Amino acid sequence: MIWRPLSLVLGLGTLVAVWLGPLPAMADQLFVGHMLMHVMVVAVAAPLLAIGIAGSRFDPSSRMPVLFSPILASVIELFVVWAWHVPALHHAARASQATQSLEQGSYLFVGLLVWLAAFGGDRNRRALAGIAGLLLTSMHMTLLGVLLTMASRPLFEHSGSALSTLSPLEDQQMGGIIMLAFGGTSYLIGGLYLLAGLLQDKRNAVSLG
């Protein structure tokens, strides 16, 4: 199907734009830059790549069903994402190119893990688990966005920049808003899409019966 290679190309193009474009330099100075890189990898590139891979011979979810359990995948992503937002680790990723590469690679890994767990393999058999996994991920992404947006002080040393009109707190709050607008929303839309497909399948089954 033509949409699979198209989705793969768009996903790879997104990664190239994120990692080789101006965002890494921006992330060194502003939390907003970091958050844009984060959500573009896990909420844009990862689902596009997963759509292109799911159901193909390159789909690993059928061969490793335990690892690609949607709930387990969501929990793994929760730990990875929240760990990289611990101030010490977050600052290390901003101060070292190697650590930043590790951070971004881990974001891509857990993003693919969650999206392939939801969309790969036998979707009819584990649609409910896929919905639960995506909604759980949406919830913890939303919670992180709320915490960053509602914090009364900057949580990260590098927030704000002399090159920006944003104060450190405003920089952090803007990053939280980006997380809310794109991070949590992407997983919520994915979960609702699976739910709509499940309901449609049940309606078709009833009508045929």
Side-chain angles (χ1 to χ4, degrees):
M1 295 182 183
I2 191 172
W3 53 266
R4 276 184 179 165
L6 177 60
S7 184
L8 282 173
V9 169
L10 290 174
L12 291 172
T14 300
L15 291 179
V16 170
V18 169
W19 290 342
L20 300 182
L23 283 179
M26 181 181 176
D28 288 342
Q29 300 293 324
L30 291 168
F31 184 75
V32 167
H34 156 80
M35 192 56 71
L36 283 171
M37 291 183 70
H38 177 183
V39 299
M40 290 296 289
V41 170
V42 302
V44 180
L48 285 171
L49 292 172
I51 289 170
I53 296 170
S56 74
R57 67 179 184 275
F58 302 108
D59 183 357
S61 59
S62 297
R63 298 190 296 273
M64 295 180 284
V66 175
L67 177 61
F68 285 88
S69 164
I71 301 300
L72 176 61
S74 179
V75 172
I76 291 172
E77 182 170 39
L78 185 155
F79 278 106
V80 169
V81 169
W82 283 72
W84 280 115
H85 287 84
V86 171
L89 283 179
H90 183 82
H91 181 68
R94 302 286 70 77
S96 164
Q97 181 62 50
T99 309
Q100 185 182 74
S101 298
L102 177 62
E103 174 201 59
Q104 291 296 306
S106 65
Y107 282 158
L108 179 60
F109 172 77
V110 294
L112 284 172
L113 188 67
V114 169
W115 288 102
L116 279 173
F119 284 88
D122 186 346
R123 287 176 53 187
N124 293 328
R125 190 174 61 181
R126 57 177 179 176
L128 284 176
I131 293 167
L134 289 177
L135 294 183
L136 177 60
T137 307
S138 175
M139 290 171 61
H140 81 71
M141 289 283 194
T142 299
L143 178 58
L144 179 59
V146 169
L147 291 175
L148 293 170
T149 304
M150 300 301 292
S152 59
R153 62 179 180 83
L155 302 176
F156 308 103
E157 294 180 16
H158 81 289
S159 295
S161 168
L163 302 178
S164 171
T165 58
L166 294 174
S167 70
L169 182 58
E170 289 169 340
D171 179 29
Q172 177 179 293
Q173 291 171 337
M174 186 65 68
I177 291 171
I178 290 171
M179 171 67 84
L180 287 170
F182 297 100
T185 301
S186 175
Y187 291 93
L188 177 60
I189 291 172
L192 293 176
Y193 172 80
L194 288 180
L195 178 60
L198 183 63
L199 294 176
Q200 183 62 45
D201 290 343
K202 288 188 174 181
R203 283 196 294 267
N204 292 340
V206 170
S207 63
L208 290 175

